Amino acid sequence: MRVEALMVALLIGGCTGSGEDTNRSGFPPADRPVSDIISSQFSDEETRDRLNEAETVMDMADIEEGMTVADIGAGNGYYTVRLARRVGDSGRVLAEDVIAETRDRLAERVTRERLDNVSVRLGEFADPKLPENSFDRIFMVHMYHEIESPYEFLWNMRPSLRPEGLVVVVDADRPTNRHGTPPDLLRCEFEAVGYHLVAFREMPDAGGYFSMFAARGERPEPQSIEACGQD
């Protein structure tokens, strides 16, 4: 029943996210540069598969059949299609992007490849608009450095995790204006919004590192969040 209810919510687009009543001016701005979105994919899929990137990341994230997973900044769908196969018919994947043309191309791919367990939707730059208490995992792969309002985004995203849900981030270890996020900065920004780092591993074959976060305690008030600086 929970899967059917989630699919109805996703397909009708009725979930407005938990940040609807948020006073956006209450969030601190990012105290570091933000990379422009220059491509809908990090690298070509054949190269990534030769390096076994997706399988390795999904193994480390403990992706299992029947899970519900969000792929934020899905781009051309490299992770979306592989997550769909891993979670199987009893699982669900929500693929999201903030660029309408990218979202449309991905929707065409999902239809063409008959991925019936995948829904595709358009997100917002400061709010992924995810349904609450719905996801076992949220994937953010090579896109975190493009988020203009990270504290607001993470704050709005938090309620969408199930009690044991985790956020998976893969990024490069370099400054945010060079299409990466230093691990210490990533950890600081997540912790500022009430997340706790539960796993970290260097992943040169995936272009950087793998990290995983869990929500801990109460979500802080936006005005109490302190911005992290980038050295």
Side-chain angles (χ1 to χ4, degrees), residues 3-15 68-69 92-96 117-121 129-131 134-135:
V3 170
E4 292 176 359
L6 174 60
M7 287 301 291
V8 169
L10 298 180
L11 291 173
I12 66 175
C15 49
T68 301
V69 183
R92 293 292 183 269
V93 177
L94 170 60
E96 182 176 286
N117 60 347
V118 175
S119 296
V120 181
R121 64 180 297 148
K129 298 285 186 179
L130 300 178
S134 297
F135 297 98

Side-chain angles (χ1 to χ4, degrees), residues 35-99:
S35 289
D36 294 330
I37 301 174
I38 59 173
S39 176
S40 58
Q41 64 178 5
F42 163 69
S43 179
D44 68 274
E45 297 193 13
E46 182 179 348
T47 298
R48 297 172 86 171
D49 278 345
R50 280 203 305 270
L51 298 172
N52 207 34
E53 177 189 332
E55 292 299 320
T56 300
V57 170
M58 289 190 295
D59 286 346
M60 289 192 295
D62 295 322
I63 301 301
E64 299 176 350
E65 186 173 352
M67 280 186 167
T68 301
V69 183
D71 184 14
I72 306 301
N76 290 346
Y78 173 72
Y79 272 88
T80 297
V81 299
R82 288 155 182 81
L83 284 166
R85 296 167 189 156
R86 178 72 73 97
V87 302
D89 293 340
S90 60
R92 293 292 183 269
V93 177
L94 170 60
E96 182 176 286
D97 207 277
V98 295
I99 300 175

Side-chain angles (χ1 to χ4, degrees), residues 203-221:
M203 274 197 74
D205 287 347
Y209 60 83
F210 167 97
S211 57
M212 200 153 56
F213 295 86
R216 292 285 188 268
E218 296 296 322
R219 194 169 52 157
E221 292 297 322

Side-chain angles (χ1 to χ4, degrees), residues 59-228:
D59 286 346
M60 289 192 295
D62 295 322
I63 301 301
E64 299 176 350
E65 186 173 352
M67 280 186 167
T68 301
V69 183
D71 184 14
I72 306 301
N76 290 346
Y78 173 72
Y79 272 88
T80 297
V81 299
R82 288 155 182 81
L83 284 166
R85 296 167 189 156
R86 178 72 73 97
V87 302
D89 293 340
S90 60
R92 293 292 183 269
V93 177
L94 170 60
E96 182 176 286
D97 207 277
V98 295
I99 300 175
E101 293 82 359
T102 301
R103 183 272 317 267
D104 293 344
R105 286 196 302 270
L106 179 54
E108 292 173 359
R109 179 177 186 180
V110 166
T111 300
R112 185 173 61 251
E113 299 190 19
R114 298 181 179 180
L115 301 175
D116 296 332
N117 60 347
V118 175
S119 296
V120 181
R121 64 180 297 148
L122 190 67
E124 294 184 1
F125 284 93
D127 188 348
K129 298 285 186 179
L130 300 178
E132 293 190 14
N133 193 33
S134 297
F135 297 98
D136 301 297
R137 299 289 185 273
I138 297 176
F139 271 51
M140 304 171 70
V141 180
H142 290 295
M143 56 76 65
Y144 185 80
H145 50 269
E146 298 169 351
I147 299 176
E148 296 178 0
S149 302
Y151 306 105
E152 185 176 3
F153 189 95
L154 295 175
W155 194 91
N156 285 322
M157 184 179 75
R158 229 186 92 151
S160 67
L161 286 168
R162 289 181 174 145
E164 301 302 320
L166 299 169
V167 182
V168 175
V169 179
V170 176
D171 212 342
D173 184 1
R174 53 177 178 253
T176 52
N177 61 348
R178 293 176 49 207
H179 296 277
T181 309
D184 287 345
L185 176 64
L186 179 77
R187 180 173 183 173
C188 182
E189 291 186 348
F190 266 79
E191 288 183 346
V193 192
Y195 296 84
H196 176 70
L197 182 70
V198 296
F200 181 88
R201 176 178 168 182
E202 299 288 347
M203 274 197 74
D205 287 347
Y209 60 83
F210 167 97
S211 57
M212 200 153 56
F213 295 86
R216 292 285 188 268
E218 296 296 322
R219 194 169 52 157
E221 292 297 322
Q223 295 82 0
S224 70
I225 297 172
E226 297 184 8
C228 306

